[in-house]
Amino acid sequence: MRALRGDRDRGDRDRGQVTIELLGMTPTIIVTLVVLWQLVLVGYAFTLAGNAADEAVRAGTAAEYDRDAKCRAAGLDKLSGAWKEGATAGCGGFGTGYVTSDVSIKVPVLFPGTISFPFNVKGHAGAVEEAKN
């Protein structure tokens, strides 16, 4: 009889252990999720910058007049409001046969449209000028 009561007492002492362990791990889990989300935002910023640079250089090579303005506008056109705020786009190399485009996007901290990191993600693209007939 004593052995049974000892086993039951041991089970009572472990009661709540899972709750305590979960509470202890919760900050670690939350920090891990925040870091992963931030890495997703950085990766997405690289994707946006590269795509914007491609769009800009495509518009710059196809335009017949005011190429620099059309290039800049096309580079910022596909960016949504929160990503467009600190973005810059520029083109160069007109008349050389090879047009280049550079786009710079600010990386947000946790949510686009809030504070940003002090560094920018850059996208670069180049294309051969189209022949004008």
Side-chain angles (χ1 to χ4, degrees), residues 40-58 71-72 74-80 83-84 86-91 100-108 119-126:
V40 166
L41 283 178
V42 170
Y44 188 57
F46 273 103
T47 301
L48 285 176
N51 184 53
D54 287 340
E55 293 287 333
V57 79
R58 187 175 302 123
C71 180
R72 247 181 271 149
L76 300 176
D77 182 47
K78 301 282 194 247
L79 298 175
S80 67
W83 292 95
K84 191 184 284 189
T88 60
C91 293
T100 60
S101 170
D102 292 299
V103 175
S104 178
I105 296 178
K106 290 186 176 186
V107 179
F119 64 90
N120 294 337
V121 167
K122 295 181 183 356
H124 179 77

